[in-house]
Amino acid sequence: MGLALALGGCATRGPLHVYTLAAGGERPVLDLGASANAEVPSFLEGDDRVNGFAYDPYTDHFFLRLSPGNRIRVVDRPARAIKRDLEIKGAPEGAGDLAIRPRDGYIYLLGPTPGRLLYCTRLGNYLGELTLEHPASGATGLAFDMVKDVLLVLGDEGRRVTAHDLTGRKVAEVTLERRAGPALAFDSDQREYHAPLPERPGEIAVFDEHGRFLRSTPVPAGSPLVDVGPRSFIRVF
């Protein structure tokens, strides 16, 4: 993957980290790293509700989608500081997961209308809606495959994942062996899905790219939001 990025940063890759976050209350982002777990301040208050969570490995930033759904808090992980608070002006309100396309910094969010995604720039400039072809019904999870350059959508039944190109065209479909969700993450290098197990709170399931269950990762109960990414060694902006 090229290191020259438009409108963003770049990074050399490090070991994979799994990040989780609870949906409500004052709480940090939990970093389940390669050697030791750590906490990163989220700067959330007790009444803040997060309905989407994503990590951008190129900038080493967390993106927290806050209710009513058109606000995003960007947290700089190494600086342990708020990078910016965004209001996506013109975007409809709505709950749901979000995903980052690191190459151009576009942010994709589940919209209030089934089968449609909202998208904006990394700075919160609203660009419109993307209509998905034959999406997973009642989508709850959203992730991005950086290698194939496709969006991955998890349906509310927790088993069906559909892949869509950046025009919304459906290009693939996978059925997970176990029911998972509501969030979805994807390790583009190892070709693995990560998602909470709703029937086993405190575990994140890992599936291969064909949907076969591989293993589970223990996390604190009540941490339903998850994303993954290689830790950046060097960032350039």
Side-chain angles (χ1 to χ4, degrees):
M1 183 174 295
L3 294 180
L5 303 173
L7 302 178
C10 67
T12 58
R13 291 180 176 275
L16 181 77
H17 286 242
V18 178
Y19 303 101
T20 66
L21 180 67
E26 297 181 35
R27 67 284 189 200
V29 176
L30 301 180
D31 175 0
L32 310 180
S35 57
N37 297 346
E39 295 184 355
V40 180
S42 65
F43 305 96
L44 297 169
E45 298 181 357
D47 58 352
D48 283 328
R49 301 294 301 178
V50 182
N51 49 53
F53 174 63
Y55 173 69
D56 180 355
Y58 285 7
T59 61
D60 215 349
H61 292 159
F62 298 120
F63 291 74
L64 286 62
R65 185 182 188 185
L66 306 177
S67 295
N70 59 357
R71 296 189 300 130
I72 295 177
R73 171 160 296 164
V74 183
V75 175
D76 187 315
R77 185 204 60 79
R80 302 170 71 85
I82 296 175
K83 182 71 175 181
R84 63 182 68 93
D85 279 325
L86 307 176
E87 179 181 354
I88 311 172
K89 295 181 179 180
E93 297 177 357
D97 205 1
L98 76 162
I100 310 296
R101 183 178 187 247
R103 186 175 303 173
D104 55 16
Y106 281 10
I107 305 170
Y108 293 85
L109 309 96
L110 294 179
T113 304
R116 292 187 180 180
L117 302 180
L118 313 177
Y119 66 111
C120 65
T121 69
R122 188 181 272 122
L123 298 179
N125 298 319
Y126 183 49
L127 299 174
E129 296 188 7
L130 177 67
T131 300
L132 302 178
E133 177 186 43
H134 307 305
S137 62
T140 64
L142 186 64
F144 195 82
D145 180 347
M146 293 187 290
V147 172
K148 294 187 177 180
D149 207 29
V150 295
L151 290 153
L152 304 169
V153 182
L154 174 66
D156 58 5
E157 78 292 337
R159 300 288 296 276
R160 181 174 174 234
V161 178
T162 54
H164 303 263
D165 67 18
L166 299 181
T167 71
R169 182 175 64 93
K170 180 183 171 183
V171 295
E173 180 175 328
V174 168
T175 299
L176 304 179
E177 278 190 344
R178 298 189 184 183
R179 190 168 72 90
L184 181 69
F186 189 71
D187 179 354
S188 301
D189 293 330
Q190 297 299 318
R191 316 302 302 161
E192 293 176 344
Y193 296 95
H194 295 246
L197 290 173
E199 297 175 357
R200 301 183 67 176
E203 292 188 29
I204 299 292
V206 182
F207 305 87
D208 70 14
E209 63 180 329
H210 305 292
R212 290 188 290 263
F213 175 78
L214 300 176
R215 62 189 182 278
S216 63
T217 301
V219 298
S223 301
L225 304 175
V226 61
D227 206 356
V228 300
R231 174 62 55 79
S232 300
F233 287 143
I234 300 173
R235 300 183 300 162
V236 180
F237 301 96

